[in-house]
Amino acid sequence: NIYTEKLEEKIKELPVYEGINFIFKSNDELKQLSYAHKIIVASSADNITKHKNYIVDKLNDYTVVQSTPNFLEVLPNNTTKGIGLQEIANIFNYSKDEIMAIGDAENDISMLEFAKYKVAMKNANDSVKKIANFITKSCEEDGAWVCVLCLALQKSCKAVRPEGGAKNEKIRSYVYHSP
């Protein structure tokens, strides 16, 4: 759910709002909410780029990450996907060497930095691709599935190959080592 006082028509046109439930509250009602897991600043990509550094500087007691070209997310300090992944690894007693993270946006970087196997989607932004060990197909091409198939299930790849594929390389060719 997203709680908001208003939603401008031009914001509704952004491609990231499909399936989101908006709950409209007055400004006074919003102030009475006891806790927000995150605050999203939504605007045009140009506007986000133009004001991002200012917002990051002013909110230095918070974690601020860009999750899409149109979103800046403001989170409680030390709240990142990387910290979450580390907590899950501790609970299940996994080492970093057993973890693969897949991402496409700035808000995925901390998670990728924690994992041994860092995978960027083909459509990821450059900052994500820069730290990745591997680059897989795009989100639209089911790149995460391809990556899990090729990396996490390496021993099974020969049994689960594309129709007519004669060798393991047919599958592995979908995942590229990052330079």
Side-chain angles (χ1 to χ4, degrees):
N1 294 336
I2 293 183
Y3 294 90
T4 186
E5 183 178 25
K6 64 181 180 176
L7 192 62
E8 297 176 19
E9 288 302 316
K10 63 183 177 182
I11 296 297
K12 288 181 189 177
E13 295 170 9
L14 298 175
V16 291
Y17 284 111
E18 187 176 318
I20 293 178
N21 183 33
F22 290 96
I23 299 171
F24 294 92
K25 302 251 182 204
S26 71
N27 194 29
D28 289 336
E29 290 173 309
L30 289 172
K31 287 178 183 177
Q32 292 178 8
L33 291 175
S34 61
Y35 184 77
H37 293 284
K38 78 169 84 170
I39 297 169
I40 297 176
V41 178
S43 190
S44 68
D46 289 342
N47 223 11
I48 292 291
T49 300
K50 181 179 176 183
H51 298 289
K52 179 180 175 182
N53 289 337
Y54 176 80
I55 292 169
V56 169
D57 289 343
K58 291 295 179 189
L59 299 176
N60 59 9
D61 291 340
Y62 296 89
T63 298
V64 180
V65 293
Q66 190 167 355
S67 56
T68 75
N70 303 101
F71 276 179
L72 276 183
E73 296 182 11
V74 181
L75 307 153
N77 222 359
N78 297 317
T79 303
T80 66
K81 290 182 179 183
I83 291 170
L85 185 58
Q86 186 173 4
E87 288 296 317
I88 291 169
N90 290 339
I91 290 168
F92 291 103
N93 201 27
Y94 288 118
S95 75
K96 285 177 71 168
D97 291 345
E98 298 173 285
I99 295 175
M100 174 175 54
I102 305 170
D104 65 350
E106 181 183 295
N107 65 333
D108 297 319
I109 289 175
S110 64
M111 175 179 65
L112 293 167
E113 288 173 337
F114 177 75
K116 177 178 180 178
Y117 302 99
K118 305 161 184 19
V119 183
M121 306 301 290
K122 185 167 108 180
N123 56 299
N125 66 40
D126 289 340
S127 61
V128 173
K129 288 179 179 178
K130 185 176 181 177
I131 65 165
N133 314 82
F134 301 94
I135 297 173
T136 188
K137 289 184 165 202
S138 70
C139 296
E140 296 75 23
E141 298 171 298
D142 297 323
W145 175 85
V146 169
C147 190
V148 169
L149 181 65
C150 292
L151 297 177
L153 304 175
Q154 283 183 32
K155 294 178 183 173
S156 301
C157 269
K158 290 180 183 175
V160 188
R161 61 180 174 265
E163 190 64 34
K167 295 183 179 178
N168 188 20
E169 287 74 29
K170 290 279 188 184
I171 294 174
R172 294 183 60 85
S173 68
Y174 291 117
V175 179
Y176 308 97
H177 286 275
S178 184

